Each structure stands twice: as C-alpha cells, then as structure tokens.
C-alpha cells in the first residue's frame, strides 16, 4: 500500500475536523459545511486564530446564502445594546 503524501494527510486531517468537539475544531463554519453538508444550525467548535478552539453559533442552512456562516460580536463598554435590539435580526453594522 503506498504511503500518502504530506499534503494528502493534511487534507484528510482537515476534513475530519467537523466542529463536534474542541479536539475536532474546524477552521470555519464553511469548512464544517464542506465536511458535513447535512450540518444544521447550532453551536460548533471553531479554531479561532490567536484564541484556539471556541464554541461559535453557526448558520448552516443552505437557504442562508449557501450556509456555513458564523455569528460573532465584539462589544466594549458603552457600546452595548439590548437583547431585543434589531441588530440581532437585521443585517446591520454597529460602529
């Protein structure tokens, strides 16, 4: 049996990262969608740069522009908004 090349082993390793645990944290929601097209909306482990494996809510529904989106927010003191804010349900940017 021939040995796999280094790049083939890396690809196989990346494909196994389905976001189901910290050990299997994926690079992005889109990467999970490639590995598991049937993935549903929910919390997955994503390997964030400089942070490491973190649980992130991912929109996997294909009707949402193909799926594979991550929801993220950064808030600092003085720039917060309430739970009922339309920023949660509309496409907007808070500056």
């Amino acid at each position: 049996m021939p040995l796999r090349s280094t790049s083939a082993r890396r690809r196989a390793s990346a494909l196994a990262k389905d976001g189901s645990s910290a050990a299997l944290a994926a690079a992005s929601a889109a990467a999970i969608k490639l590995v598991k097209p049937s993935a549903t909306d929910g919390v997955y482990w994503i390997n964030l740069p400089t942070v490491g494996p973190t649980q992130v809510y991912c929109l996997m529904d294909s009707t949402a522009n193909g799926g594979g989106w991550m929801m993220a927010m950064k808030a600092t003191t003085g720039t917060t908004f309430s739970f009922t804010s339309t920023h949660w349900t509309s496409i907007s940017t808070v500056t």
Side-chain angles (χ1 to χ4, degrees):
M1 177 185 286
L3 295 175
R4 286 198 235 171
S5 69
T6 302
S7 62
R9 284 194 305 273
R10 282 190 196 131
R11 281 193 304 273
S13 175
L15 290 177
K17 296 186 178 182
D18 64 0
S20 61
S21 68
L24 294 175
S28 66
I32 294 169
K33 189 82 172 157
L34 287 173
V35 173
K36 188 176 179 184
S38 63
T40 58
D41 295 353
V43 177
Y44 292 87
W45 286 92
I46 303 295
N47 193 6
L48 298 176
T50 71
V51 177
T54 305
Q55 289 186 301
V56 176
Y57 188 83
C58 299
L59 301 170
M60 305 306 244
D61 185 352
S62 293
T63 62
N65 200 21
W69 295 95
M70 298 184 292
M71 185 175 287
M73 180 182 122
K74 178 184 178 201
T76 56
T77 304
T79 59
T80 60
F81 45 88
S82 71
F83 179 77
T84 58
S85 171
T86 58
H87 291 299
W88 295 109
T89 57
S90 66
I91 299 173
S92 62
T93 303
V94 179
T95 57

